[in-house]
Amino acid sequence: MATEPIALDRRQRRRQETIEEVLDIAVEIMTEHGVGGLSLGEVARRMGIRPPSLYVYFPSKEALYDALFARGAREIADVLTEGTRRLLDELEPGRSLADVMLDAARTFVRWTMEHPAYTQLLYWRPVPGYEPSPEAFAPAVAMVETSRDRFAELQRRGLIRADASIDDLQRDWAVILTGVVTRQLANAPHEKFEEGRFTSGLTDLVTMFARHYESDQSTPTRGSRRARQR
Amino acid sequence: MATEPIALDRRQRRRQETIEEVLDIAVEIMTEHGVGGLSLGEVARRMGIRPPSLYVYFPSKEALYDALFARGAREIADVLTEGTRRLLDELEPGRSLADVMLDAARTFVRWTMEHPAYTQLLYWRPVPGYEPSPEAFAPAVAMVETSRDRFAELQRRGLIRADASIDDLQRDWAVILTGVVTRQLANAPHEKFEEGRFTSGLTDLVTMFARHYESDQSTPTRGSRRARQR
DNA sequence: GTCTATATGACGATAGAC
DNA sequence: GTCTATCGTCATATAGAC
C-alpha cells in the first residue's frame, strides 16, 4: 500500500510523456501540411496506435488544438519575456530605442519563422470553428502585459517620449510584427529568417517606428538612422 | 442548323450563371464558417442539387478555391485600381502624402473587412495543400504593378522623397496593411471597419509611414501631424 | 486505466445509368 | 447535366478485452 502514490506518480508521468509525444507529432504534421492538415488518424499512425486511443488523452480534436495553442503561446511568451528581460538588464546607456526594439523584433520574428505551425495557430484563424479557450489564451495575455511593462520601463528610462501612449505604441507594434510574419509565411514560407524578403525589411520598419516614438534627447546612433541610408 | 451557335451561347451563358451561383454560395459558406469550413456538400445542399453535380463545373474542390481566389483578387484589384486612379486624378496641390495614403489604405482595409472570406483566402494560407495557380494569382500581380506606378507617380509629383526606394516602400506598405487586417480579422473579426480596435489605428500608422517617406518640401497639414498630437 | 475492435456519419471524389 | 451508387478517409463514439 505504501507504493500506491509512487505507482500513481509513475502512471501520471507516463501519461504526461504520452501527451507530450502527441503534441510533438501534431506539430510535425502541422508543419508539413498546415494547421488545418492535422488529422488524428495521422497522429495515431505515426505513434503506432489506433486513433481511438488518442481520446484517452484528448477528449476531442479541439482539445488537442487548444493544448497546442497553449503550448505555443507559453513558448513564445517564455522566449520573449526572457529575451527582453536580459535586453533591459544589460542595456547600456546611450543605446538607441531602434536598437532595443530591433533586438526584440528579431527575437520574435525569428521564433515565428522557426515555428510556423504554432505561428499560424496563434496569429491566424486556420481552424474552422476553433477558438482558443481562456486558459489556452492566458499566456498570450500575460505576454501582452509583460510587453506593456517593458515599454513602460523604456519610457521611464527616457528612451520613449514621455507623452507617447503605450497602448497605441503596443497596438501598432503588434500590427507591424504581425504584418511581417504574415506576409513572409503566406507569400514565401520556405525562406528562412535571415533571407526572407519580408523579414529582411524588419530593420527599416522598426527603425522608422522607433524614430516615431523615441525621445528627442536620446542620442541617435547608426542604428536609428539605418533606414535613411539610401 | 442556323440556331446551333445561339443554342451554344445559351448553354454557355447558363453554365456561366451556374458557376457564378456556386461561387456566391461558396463565399456565403466561407463567411459563416471560415475558408476551411467550405464543403461541397453544403454548397450542393443550398443549391438544391447533389454534390456530384458540382463536378460538372469544377473538377475538384481545389479548382473551386482557385476560382474564388481569382475572383477575390480581381475584385480588390478593381476597387483599388479605380480608387487610386480617381485619387490621383483629383489630387489637389498641397495635399499631404499622409492624406493620400490614408485614403488608399482606408479603401483597401474597408474592402477586406467587408469581404473577410476573400481576405483570408488571399492573404493567409487557410487551406492545407492549396496554392493559387499562376492564373488565379495574375490579378494580384497586376495590382502590385499598378500600385508601383501610383507610388512612382507620387514620387514624380514630389510628394515622396526623390531618394526613396519604391520597392522598399511598397513592401513595407504591404506589411503594415497586412498587419492591420490580419490582427483585426484574427482577434476581433466581428468589429466593423469604423469601430475596429486595429483598423482605428490606421490613421496613426499610415501617418507615421507617410512622414517617413514624404518630401521635406511637402506642406505638412493637419492630417500629416495627427499622430504627433502632443 | 489503457488499449483494440468496431460503428456512424460526413467528407471529397468517381463510375455509370438516364 | 443530373442523378444514384459507391469508395476511401476523416473525426468521433462506444463496447469490451486485458
Side-chain angles (χ1 to χ4, degrees):
Chain A
M1 294 296 168
T3 59
E4 240 186 346
I6 294 170
L8 201 93
D9 279 357
R10 278 224 180 100
R11 247 201 314 277
Q12 283 190 335
R13 193 165 51 237
R14 179 83 182 82
R15 182 183 167 83
Q16 195 54 41
E17 282 171 8
T18 308
I19 287 176
E20 297 299 327
E21 190 188 349
V22 171
L23 295 178
D24 287 340
I25 292 178
V27 169
E28 269 181 37
I29 296 171
M30 291 193 298
T31 305
E32 291 170 27
H33 300 107
V35 170
L38 175 62
S39 97
L40 298 182
E42 183 63 24
V43 173
R45 206 169 296 123
R46 296 192 187 193
M47 289 182 70
I49 61 172
R50 305 292 149 195
S53 302
L54 291 171
Y55 283 80
V56 173
Y57 308 101
F58 299 96
S60 70
K61 197 184 181 186
E62 272 225 346
L64 174 55
Y65 273 126
D66 220 42
L68 289 164
F69 191 103
R71 213 198 205 196
R74 220 178 311 118
E75 281 193 20
I76 180 57
D78 287 350
V79 167
L80 264 191
T81 299
E82 168 68 6
T84 56
R85 192 190 54 72
R86 288 186 46 172
L87 187 61
L88 282 185
D89 283 353
E90 300 167 4
L91 192 61
E92 303 150 21
R95 189 101 179 273
S96 78
L97 180 63
D99 275 353
V100 175
M101 296 187 86
L102 201 46
D103 194 302
R106 286 210 177 100
T107 301
F108 175 75
V109 175
R110 191 188 304 272
W111 184 90
T112 64
M113 293 300 119
E114 287 165 355
H115 303 83
Y118 284 136
T119 303
Q120 288 172 44
L121 187 60
L122 288 168
Y123 301 109
W124 295 352
R125 290 216 167 197
V127 184
Y130 167 69
E131 275 193 74
S133 66
E135 304 87 69
F137 206 76
V141 174
M143 189 174 96
V144 171
E145 282 164 8
T146 301
S147 159
R148 207 186 185 297
D149 291 346
R150 301 285 195 256
F151 281 125
E153 174 68 14
L154 285 175
Q155 193 174 39
R156 205 187 56 76
R157 294 199 199 179
L159 280 108
I160 293 173
R161 316 196 305 265
D163 65 334
S165 154
I166 295 296
D167 282 341
D168 286 1
L169 181 153
Q170 211 174 1
R171 179 201 57 205
D172 294 347
W173 179 244
V175 161
I176 287 176
L177 295 185
T178 301
V180 170
V181 168
T182 294
R183 275 279 164 173
Q184 188 65 54
L185 277 182
N187 289 25
H190 293 304
E191 293 173 2
K192 293 188 192 304
F193 173 76
E194 286 75 16
E195 64 187 19
R197 70 191 72 167
F198 294 98
T199 52
S200 302
L202 252 193
T203 309
D204 274 20
L205 268 170
V206 171
T207 304
M208 175 186 71
F209 190 75
R211 290 181 64 84
H212 185 74
Y213 278 103
E214 71 190 351
S215 302
D216 295 333
Q217 75 254 30
S218 101
T219 45
T221 64
R222 277 177 304 108
S224 68
R225 293 215 168 263
R226 218 170 281 164
R228 287 237 167 203
Q229 329 167 319
R230 285 168 207 273
Chain B
M1 295 296 168
T3 58
E4 240 188 343
I6 294 171
L8 203 91
D9 278 357
R10 280 224 180 100
R11 246 201 316 276
Q12 284 191 336
R13 195 164 49 238
R14 179 84 183 82
R15 182 183 166 82
Q16 195 54 41
E17 283 171 7
T18 307
I19 287 175
E20 297 298 328
E21 190 188 346
V22 171
L23 295 178
D24 287 339
I25 291 178
V27 170
E28 270 182 35
I29 296 170
M30 290 193 299
T31 305
E32 292 170 28
H33 300 106
V35 169
L38 175 63
S39 96
L40 298 181
E42 184 62 24
V43 172
R45 206 168 296 124
R46 297 192 187 194
M47 289 183 70
I49 62 173
R50 303 290 149 195
S53 303
L54 290 171
Y55 284 80
V56 174
Y57 307 101
F58 298 96
S60 70
K61 197 185 181 186
E62 272 224 346
L64 174 56
Y65 273 126
D66 220 41
L68 289 163
F69 190 103
R71 213 198 205 199
R74 221 179 308 118
E75 281 193 21
I76 180 57
D78 288 351
V79 167
L80 263 191
T81 300
E82 168 68 9
T84 55
R85 191 191 55 72
R86 289 186 46 172
L87 187 61
L88 281 186
D89 283 353
E90 300 167 4
L91 191 61
E92 302 151 21
R95 190 102 177 272
S96 78
L97 180 62
D99 275 353
V100 175
M101 296 187 85
L102 201 45
D103 194 302
R106 286 211 176 99
T107 301
F108 175 75
V109 175
R110 192 188 305 272
W111 184 91
T112 64
M113 292 300 118
E114 287 165 355
H115 302 83
Y118 284 136
T119 303
Q120 288 173 43
L121 187 60
L122 288 167
Y123 300 108
W124 295 352
R125 290 216 166 198
V127 184
Y130 168 67
E131 275 192 75
S133 66
E135 306 88 68
F137 206 76
V141 174
M143 189 174 97
V144 171
E145 281 164 9
T146 302
S147 159
R148 207 188 184 297
D149 292 346
R150 301 285 195 258
F151 282 124
E153 174 67 15
L154 286 175
Q155 192 173 39
R156 204 187 58 75
R157 295 200 198 180
L159 280 106
I160 293 172
R161 311 198 308 265
D163 65 335
S165 154
I166 295 296
D167 282 340
D168 287 1
L169 181 154
Q170 211 175 0
R171 179 201 57 205
D172 294 347
W173 179 243
V175 161
I176 287 175
L177 295 186
T178 301
V180 170
V181 168
T182 294
R183 275 280 165 171
Q184 186 66 56
L185 239 40
N187 288 24
H190 294 304
E191 293 173 0
K192 293 186 191 305
F193 172 76
E194 285 75 15
E195 63 186 18
R197 72 190 73 167
F198 295 97
T199 52
S200 302
L202 252 193
T203 309
D204 274 19
L205 268 169
V206 171
T207 303
M208 175 186 70
F209 190 74
R211 290 181 64 85
H212 185 74
Y213 277 103
E214 73 190 348
S215 303
D216 295 334
Q217 75 255 29
S218 99
T219 47
T221 64
R222 277 179 302 110
S224 68
R225 291 217 168 262
R226 219 169 281 164
R228 285 243 167 197
Q229 315 166 333
R230 311 188 186 211

